[in-house]
Amino acid sequence: MGLPRQWRILVLDMPGHGESSFDPTQDYSPFGMAEKVDMFVEAVGLERFHLVGESLGACISASYGSTYPHKLDSLTLLCPPITHRLSNGVATKYIKEFEVTGQLSLLFPQCPDEFQQMIDVVLYNPSLFTFHYRMRQALLSLQMEHYHHFDKIQKDLRKTQEGDREVRQLAKNITMPLFILWGQHDRVR
């Protein structure tokens, strides 16, 4: 089963993520990133469209939907990290850590054992992704090359979390049809 061929699907590599550039002077909060999404929307000439975001992308999409509701036909948020929704999940201690310190150590491991801990928490069936110690170390090395990106992004997320623009508050401003989905076995909820 695939998507209808008549659909035009655009996937963004957000600034500071993947292979895109990183500029430490930019705002990487969900609202700052929503502005970048709108710059893209304007550049490609989209008028009205459906927006889908997953995890942090869901925060950015919710920010976009509350800021630019006139541009969206619908909004889909997949596994948005809304803090009150996470109260009974496996990752609750990490969310509380973020609320207190502004650091999300679960997603930014510093050693191979922390990397395995991240895999164990964020994947439903971590046994499908067994990594030899050297493989974990290699993946960590790649991540550490971009650690300053993650540190800046965490700080910008923390500023947003402290303010009145948390994702759970954004729902009040979203006027288009909204679909929110968490998996039945989502361990981070």
Side-chain angles (χ1 to χ4, degrees), residues 11-140:
V11 180
L12 300 178
D13 192 9
M14 297 301 295
H17 296 77
E19 296 296 319
S20 65
S21 62
F22 175 78
D23 178 351
T25 66
Q26 295 295 309
D27 179 4
Y28 291 92
S29 71
F31 276 92
M33 298 297 270
E35 289 176 14
K36 304 290 187 293
V37 170
D38 195 57
M39 290 169 63
F40 174 81
V41 165
E42 292 296 319
V44 299
L46 296 176
E47 292 180 16
R48 291 195 53 87
F49 60 100
H50 305 275
L51 182 61
V52 178
E54 186 264 333
S55 191
L56 175 57
C59 295
I60 295 166
S61 297
S63 299
Y64 189 90
S66 70
T67 306
Y68 306 98
H70 59 284
K71 295 185 178 187
L72 295 180
D73 285 326
S74 69
L75 180 60
T76 301
L77 308 178
L78 305 173
C79 303
I82 302 173
T83 55
H84 75 282
R85 175 76 170 93
L86 296 165
S87 61
N88 294 320
V90 173
T92 300
K93 82 174 198 174
Y94 300 103
I95 298 303
K96 291 185 187 300
E97 170 195 14
F98 179 71
E99 290 174 344
V100 171
T101 68
Q103 298 295 313
L104 195 52
S105 64
L106 173 66
L107 299 180
F108 304 104
Q110 304 281 322
C111 67
D113 290 337
E114 288 178 4
F115 181 83
Q116 187 61 49
Q117 184 178 19
M118 174 188 74
I119 295 297
D120 291 344
V121 171
V122 301
L123 297 179
Y124 169 63
N125 189 350
S127 67
L128 297 175
F129 294 90
T130 55
F131 293 103
H132 184 276
Y133 182 86
R134 289 184 193 270
M135 177 62 84
R136 285 183 276 165
Q137 188 63 44
L139 290 170
L140 266 174

Side-chain angles (χ1 to χ4, degrees), residues 139-164:
L139 290 170
L140 266 174
S141 294
L142 288 172
Q143 178 172 315
M144 294 308 288
E145 289 177 24
H146 300 287
Y147 187 78
H148 64 284
H149 299 177
F150 301 137
D151 189 49
K152 165 72 167 133
I153 291 166
Q154 285 185 92
K155 287 176 181 169
D156 287 356
L157 287 172
R158 175 72 177 169
K159 286 188 285 189
T160 300
Q161 191 264 342
E162 289 173 344
D164 62 344

